[in-house]
Amino acid sequence: MPATVVLGAQWGDEGKGKLVDRMAESAVWVARFQGGNNAGHTVVIGDRVLKFHLLPSGITREDCGLILGDGMVIDPWVLDKELNDWVESGGDDPRGKRLFISNRAHIILPFHRYLDGLDKKIGTTGRGIGPTYADKINRVGLRFADLDEVDVSDMVKRQNHALEAAGCEQRIDASELKAELEWIRTTYGHCIKETGLLLDSAMKMNERIVLEGAQGCLLDIDQGTYPFVTSSVTSRGNASHGAGIHPGHIDRVVGITKAYITRVGNGAMPTELDDESGAHMASVGHEFGTTTGRPRRCGWFDAVVMRHAQRINGFTEIALTKLDVLGGLDVLKICVAYELDGKEIHEMPPQASALARCKPIYVEMPGFPAHALHEWLEIAKKCNAENLGFSGLPAAAQHYIQRLEDLIGAPITSVGVGPDRDATIDKV
């Protein structure tokens, strides 16, 4: 059975965790394929709010296997805390039972966090992601497969030289690093595997797997708003590669997008709002980064961004999230083009400076009423139970969904109207 890929279609924080959690109910494996604990996926189950940074969102399903794939960079200490928190909340300890770490994944060390903490330009999470990927590309990184072969003295010498050159006060101690590497071996040795083989075997047995993306298309190192991007390939092309399988295994690519748009960190965002509508989105949508806690910048839906994401990823379908947040706004706007230096353009310029000069060109649509979260949840349950699909939504909301679908060029197959896992309406 082929694989499904779930990808962020904006600047991240679109609600991928909620969708993956739903899909995991019928999946044998959920695998992360890139990024690290710069990701933040939230799953809401009734009164429980679960926030994951490294663990795949399928962890809430007891029969679902979990993989941290080849293309990831993993902080062993963060993963340990996340697992311990999960166990303390009543969950199982999945290490070596249903959670496996790729032996090809790279390890985030204190050195990487020290370097990342110096960033003043991009607005990174400071988690050591970029420096770890830099070591990977420079072929001096440490993979889980190589823990028994590392030359600690050589590594310490190189790392301290880099820290000094960067103007960082911290230094790496050889004896401490040796102890830390031994702790990693002891803590994770039983769950370090050739995870690509596990996934390949699963598909040969006709088992469904979900590949869970982190961040979003506009943060892709190649196709995003460079240099204000993350350090990995976040798009479809890396989903199979970062998981250790071939692209022919993928038959379904779900792009996640909010009904508006948000961004954390620096860089241009043409539809960003500094008015009552933006404040409404931020307040009603509780727009704070899951990983950093930083306020998210909010703006109207940007169809130029989405066309770019669709071209790069070839989404077979779209999951629209947070439609409920727009409830109560009299007028809804959609950006359909930009004005750049007096000219109308319909595609994103590659230069950060040019994108910063872009002014959005909008179309307007009527808004729809606001509802409390419990009311939206009841609407979703009714729509699904009675097979109403989107027809159970207010007429103006239906028209908004249809307009977005036309602009994106891919079918919208589900609409989220609240944070709860059941507050999602499936298309009929």
Side-chain angles (χ1 to χ4, degrees):
M1 182 176 288
T4 296
V5 182
V6 176
L7 300 171
Q10 301 174 326
W11 277 286
D13 302 308
E14 301 94 348
K16 296 179 288 296
K18 176 184 173 183
L19 179 63
V20 172
D21 170 67
R22 294 182 73 216
M23 289 182 169
E25 185 176 15
S26 58
V28 176
W29 293 98
V30 172
R32 279 277 307 274
F33 59 86
Q34 51 74 221
N37 56 303
N38 55 338
H41 295 173
T42 302
V43 177
V44 179
I45 307 173
D47 295 332
R48 296 179 70 195
V49 179
L50 307 172
K51 297 184 179 183
F52 306 119
H53 303 281
L54 284 168
L55 290 173
S57 299
I59 192 170
T60 62
R61 310 293 184 172
E62 293 182 358
D63 296 328
C64 184
L66 312 168
I67 283 178
L68 304 183
D70 304 354
M72 289 188 68
V73 291
I74 299 170
D75 187 320
W77 296 273
V78 171
L79 178 59
D80 188 58
K81 182 181 185 308
E82 196 165 329
L83 284 163
N84 290 336
D85 289 346
W86 169 249
V87 171
E88 288 177 9
S89 71
D92 63 314
D93 188 340
R95 279 177 276 208
K97 301 172 185 175
R98 63 185 183 103
L99 170 67
F100 299 98
I101 300 171
S102 169
N103 53 13
R104 297 174 185 268
H106 279 247
I107 301 174
I108 298 175
L109 296 169
F111 160 74
H112 301 114
R113 294 195 298 271
Y114 296 158
L115 272 186
D116 207 12
L118 300 176
D119 170 66
K120 303 297 182 195
K121 176 184 177 183
I122 305 302
T124 72
T125 60
R127 304 301 200 261
I129 309 300
T132 308
Y133 274 116
D135 274 4
K136 174 180 178 178
I137 297 303
N138 286 327
R139 292 161 291 188
V140 294
L142 177 62
R143 305 181 304 169
F144 283 91
D146 304 320
L147 277 167
D148 293 329
E149 302 177 11
V150 60
D151 184 335
V152 174
S153 60
D154 182 66
M155 176 178 287
V156 169
K157 182 179 179 180
R158 178 184 61 80
Q159 290 183 351
N160 283 333
H161 178 75
L163 290 171
E164 182 178 5
C168 183
E169 295 181 359
Q170 289 102 330
R171 294 293 182 269
I172 304 301
D173 178 80
S175 60
E176 290 181 3
L177 180 58
K178 285 180 181 179
E180 288 164 345
L181 296 181
E182 182 57 38
W183 176 84
I184 295 171
R185 291 188 195 95
T186 302
T187 305
Y188 299 106
H190 61 303
C191 55
I192 298 171
K193 301 289 183 182
E194 186 76 65
T195 54
L197 295 179
L198 295 178
L199 294 176
D200 184 68
S201 176
M203 283 179 291
K204 287 177 179 176
M205 296 175 65
N206 205 36
E207 296 174 343
R208 170 62 67 177
I209 70 171
V210 177
L211 305 180
E212 179 180 20
Q215 290 85 46
C217 177
L218 274 294
L219 292 175
D220 186 285
I221 187 68
D222 293 321
Q223 305 296 342
T225 50
Y226 188 88
F228 302 101
V229 293
T230 193
S231 303
S232 60
V233 175
T234 63
S235 301
R236 175 181 185 168
N238 191 38
S240 57
H241 188 75
I245 56 177
H246 67 72
H249 283 305
I250 296 171
D251 73 333
R252 183 185 181 197
V253 184
V254 185
I256 316 295
T257 177
K258 288 178 181 173
Y260 48 104
I261 201 164
T262 62
R263 181 171 193 174
V264 172
N266 301 333
M269 178 180 160
T271 67
E272 183 172 7
L273 296 171
D274 185 19
D275 60 13
E276 292 182 359
S277 296
H280 172 97
M281 296 171 191
S283 175
V284 178
H286 304 288
E287 294 296 356
F288 296 91
T290 302
T291 298
T292 63
R294 291 179 292 183
R296 296 179 185 136
R297 302 151 60 192
C298 299
W300 295 115
F301 188 91
D302 191 332
V304 181
V305 161
M306 281 301 302
R307 282 197 299 269
H308 178 81
Q310 172 65 4
R311 176 174 64 84
I312 299 303
N313 294 286
F315 301 125
T316 58
E317 60 189 271
I318 298 293
L320 188 70
T321 65
K322 290 199 165 185
L323 181 69
D324 57 297
V325 173
L326 298 182
L329 294 173
D330 294 332
V331 176
L332 306 179
K333 297 183 181 182
I334 304 171
C335 173
V336 295
Y338 298 148
E339 179 189 323
L340 175 60
D341 300 335
K343 296 181 180 180
E344 183 174 318
I345 62 173
H346 294 84
E347 301 295 337
M348 287 177 51
Q351 306 93 339
S353 59
L355 186 64
R357 299 197 305 275
C358 286
K359 299 176 182 179
I361 298 174
Y362 291 117
V363 296
E364 295 186 356
M365 300 188 70
F368 50 88
H371 293 288
L373 284 179
H374 72 274
E375 293 173 324
W376 281 115
L377 180 58
E378 290 306 312
I379 290 172
K381 289 180 177 179
K382 177 181 174 66
C383 287
N384 292 328
E386 299 180 13
N387 207 31
L388 299 174
F390 304 157
S391 67
L393 288 167
Q398 295 181 52
H399 296 154
Y400 184 74
I401 294 168
Q402 184 60 57
R403 188 62 180 271
L404 296 188
E405 188 175 78
D406 293 342
L407 288 168
I408 296 169
I412 294 175
T413 56
S414 69
V415 173
V417 290
D420 193 279
R421 64 160 49 151
D422 293 326
T424 299
I425 302 170
D426 295 316
K427 189 175 186 178
V428 295

mmCIF file of all heavy atoms in Angstrom, residues 90-106:
data_model
loop_
_atom_site.group_PDB
_atom_site.id
_atom_site.type_symbol
_atom_site.label_atom_id
_atom_site.label_comp_id
_atom_site.label_asym_id
_atom_site.label_seq_id
_atom_site.Cartn_x
_atom_site.Cartn_y
_atom_site.Cartn_z
ATOM 1 N N GLY A 90 0.664 9.388 31.350
ATOM 2 C CA GLY A 90 -0.128 8.161 31.251
ATOM 3 C C GLY A 90 0.155 7.331 30.019
ATOM 4 O O GLY A 90 -0.466 6.281 29.818
ATOM 5 N N GLY A 91 1.086 7.787 29.179
ATOM 6 C CA GLY A 91 1.395 7.038 27.966
ATOM 7 C C GLY A 91 2.413 5.940 28.207
ATOM 8 O O GLY A 91 2.999 5.824 29.287
ATOM 9 N N ASP A 92 2.623 5.114 27.177
ATOM 10 C CA ASP A 92 3.609 4.042 27.255
ATOM 11 C C ASP A 92 4.985 4.575 26.900
ATOM 12 O O ASP A 92 5.105 5.629 26.281
ATOM 13 C CB ASP A 92 3.249 2.928 26.264
ATOM 14 C CG ASP A 92 3.289 3.417 24.819
ATOM 15 O OD1 ASP A 92 2.744 4.513 24.542
ATOM 16 O OD2 ASP A 92 3.868 2.729 23.965
ATOM 17 N N ASP A 93 6.052 3.882 27.298
ATOM 18 C CA ASP A 93 7.393 4.227 26.840
ATOM 19 C C ASP A 93 7.643 3.422 25.569
ATOM 20 O O ASP A 93 7.848 2.207 25.629
ATOM 21 C CB ASP A 93 8.433 3.890 27.903
ATOM 22 C CG ASP A 93 9.819 4.428 27.532
ATOM 23 O OD1 ASP A 93 10.047 4.698 26.335
ATOM 24 O OD2 ASP A 93 10.675 4.572 28.427
ATOM 25 N N PRO A 94 7.635 4.085 24.406
ATOM 26 C CA PRO A 94 7.672 3.343 23.143
ATOM 27 C C PRO A 94 9.065 2.960 22.667
ATOM 28 O O PRO A 94 9.210 2.294 21.640
ATOM 29 C CB PRO A 94 7.027 4.334 22.169
ATOM 30 C CG PRO A 94 7.450 5.677 22.696
ATOM 31 C CD PRO A 94 7.485 5.533 24.194
ATOM 32 N N ARG A 95 10.113 3.362 23.383
ATOM 33 C CA ARG A 95 11.479 3.133 22.920
ATOM 34 C C ARG A 95 11.772 1.652 22.709
ATOM 35 O O ARG A 95 11.645 0.843 23.618
ATOM 36 C CB ARG A 95 12.471 3.723 23.914
ATOM 37 C CG ARG A 95 12.673 5.213 23.761
ATOM 38 C CD ARG A 95 13.609 5.783 24.813
ATOM 39 N NE ARG A 95 12.892 6.074 26.053
ATOM 40 C CZ ARG A 95 13.268 7.022 26.918
ATOM 41 N NH1 ARG A 95 14.339 7.752 26.692
ATOM 42 N NH2 ARG A 95 12.573 7.234 28.023
ATOM 43 N N GLY A 96 12.169 1.332 21.478
ATOM 44 C CA GLY A 96 12.525 -0.037 21.161
ATOM 45 C C GLY A 96 11.344 -0.967 20.987
ATOM 46 O O GLY A 96 11.521 -2.135 20.643
ATOM 47 N N LYS A 97 10.133 -0.461 21.229
ATOM 48 C CA LYS A 97 8.911 -1.260 21.069
ATOM 49 C C LYS A 97 8.148 -0.802 19.824
ATOM 50 O O LYS A 97 7.849 -1.596 18.941
ATOM 51 C CB LYS A 97 8.031 -1.136 22.304
ATOM 52 C CG LYS A 97 8.722 -1.597 23.593
ATOM 53 C CD LYS A 97 7.881 -1.270 24.812
ATOM 54 C CE LYS A 97 8.610 -1.614 26.098
ATOM 55 N NZ LYS A 97 7.836 -1.195 27.306
ATOM 56 N N ARG A 98 7.852 0.497 19.799
ATOM 57 C CA ARG A 98 7.213 1.031 18.590
ATOM 58 C C ARG A 98 7.825 2.350 18.143
ATOM 59 O O ARG A 98 7.392 2.930 17.156
ATOM 60 C CB ARG A 98 5.706 1.195 18.793
ATOM 61 C CG ARG A 98 5.262 2.193 19.862
ATOM 62 C CD ARG A 98 3.763 2.146 20.023
ATOM 63 N NE ARG A 98 3.249 3.127 20.971
ATOM 64 C CZ ARG A 98 2.642 4.261 20.623
ATOM 65 N NH1 ARG A 98 2.459 4.554 19.353
ATOM 66 N NH2 ARG A 98 2.186 5.079 21.557
ATOM 67 N N LEU A 99 8.847 2.825 18.861
ATOM 68 C CA LEU A 99 9.596 4.007 18.435
ATOM 69 C C LEU A 99 11.018 3.598 18.062
ATOM 70 O O LEU A 99 11.723 2.977 18.866
ATOM 71 C CB LEU A 99 9.658 5.049 19.560
ATOM 72 C CG LEU A 99 10.623 6.223 19.308
ATOM 73 C CD1 LEU A 99 10.128 7.088 18.159
ATOM 74 C CD2 LEU A 99 10.823 7.066 20.562
ATOM 75 N N PHE A 100 11.409 3.968 16.838
ATOM 76 C CA PHE A 100 12.750 3.643 16.362
ATOM 77 C C PHE A 100 13.397 4.873 15.731
ATOM 78 O O PHE A 100 12.729 5.678 15.080
ATOM 79 C CB PHE A 100 12.695 2.491 15.354
ATOM 80 C CG PHE A 100 12.124 1.235 15.948
ATOM 81 C CD1 PHE A 100 10.790 0.903 15.763
ATOM 82 C CD2 PHE A 100 12.911 0.395 16.722
ATOM 83 C CE1 PHE A 100 10.247 -0.244 16.325
ATOM 84 C CE2 PHE A 100 12.385 -0.749 17.301
ATOM 85 C CZ PHE A 100 11.045 -1.073 17.098
ATOM 86 N N ILE A 101 14.704 5.003 15.965
ATOM 87 C CA ILE A 101 15.485 6.134 15.473
ATOM 88 C C ILE A 101 16.383 5.657 14.342
ATOM 89 O O ILE A 101 17.069 4.643 14.474
ATOM 90 C CB ILE A 101 16.352 6.732 16.596
ATOM 91 C CG1 ILE A 101 15.475 7.211 17.750
ATOM 92 C CG2 ILE A 101 17.218 7.872 16.067
ATOM 93 C CD1 ILE A 101 16.270 7.604 18.983
ATOM 94 N N SER A 102 16.377 6.392 13.241
ATOM 95 C CA SER A 102 17.246 6.017 12.124
ATOM 96 C C SER A 102 18.710 6.108 12.515
ATOM 97 O O SER A 102 19.150 7.096 13.109
ATOM 98 C CB SER A 102 16.992 6.934 10.931
ATOM 99 O OG SER A 102 17.996 6.742 9.940
ATOM 100 N N ASN A 103 19.469 5.082 12.140
ATOM 101 C CA ASN A 103 20.908 5.139 12.400
ATOM 102 C C ASN A 103 21.609 6.151 11.500
ATOM 103 O O ASN A 103 22.768 6.490 11.714
ATOM 104 C CB ASN A 103 21.545 3.752 12.253
ATOM 105 C CG ASN A 103 21.243 3.077 10.928
ATOM 106 O OD1 ASN A 103 20.751 3.709 9.987
ATOM 107 N ND2 ASN A 103 21.522 1.786 10.850
ATOM 108 N N ARG A 104 20.894 6.665 10.495
ATOM 109 C CA ARG A 104 21.457 7.666 9.586
ATOM 110 C C ARG A 104 21.123 9.095 10.016
ATOM 111 O O ARG A 104 21.643 10.056 9.438
ATOM 112 C CB ARG A 104 20.948 7.434 8.161
ATOM 113 C CG ARG A 104 21.364 6.091 7.572
ATOM 114 C CD ARG A 104 20.707 5.853 6.212
ATOM 115 N NE ARG A 104 21.032 4.521 5.720
ATOM 116 C CZ ARG A 104 22.064 4.238 4.936
ATOM 117 N NH1 ARG A 104 22.873 5.208 4.545
ATOM 118 N NH2 ARG A 104 22.287 3.005 4.533
ATOM 119 N N ALA A 105 20.234 9.258 10.988
ATOM 120 C CA ALA A 105 19.888 10.592 11.475
ATOM 121 C C ALA A 105 21.071 11.198 12.223
ATOM 122 O O ALA A 105 21.874 10.488 12.831
ATOM 123 C CB ALA A 105 18.677 10.511 12.399
ATOM 124 N N HIS A 106 21.191 12.524 12.167
ATOM 125 C CA HIS A 106 22.297 13.223 12.806
ATOM 126 C C HIS A 106 21.924 13.685 14.209
ATOM 127 O O HIS A 106 20.743 13.950 14.504
ATOM 128 C CB HIS A 106 22.733 14.419 11.956
ATOM 129 C CG HIS A 106 23.624 14.027 10.823
ATOM 130 N ND1 HIS A 106 24.948 14.388 10.748
ATOM 131 C CD2 HIS A 106 23.375 13.267 9.720
ATOM 132 C CE1 HIS A 106 25.477 13.891 9.637
ATOM 133 N NE2 HIS A 106 24.548 13.205 9.003
#
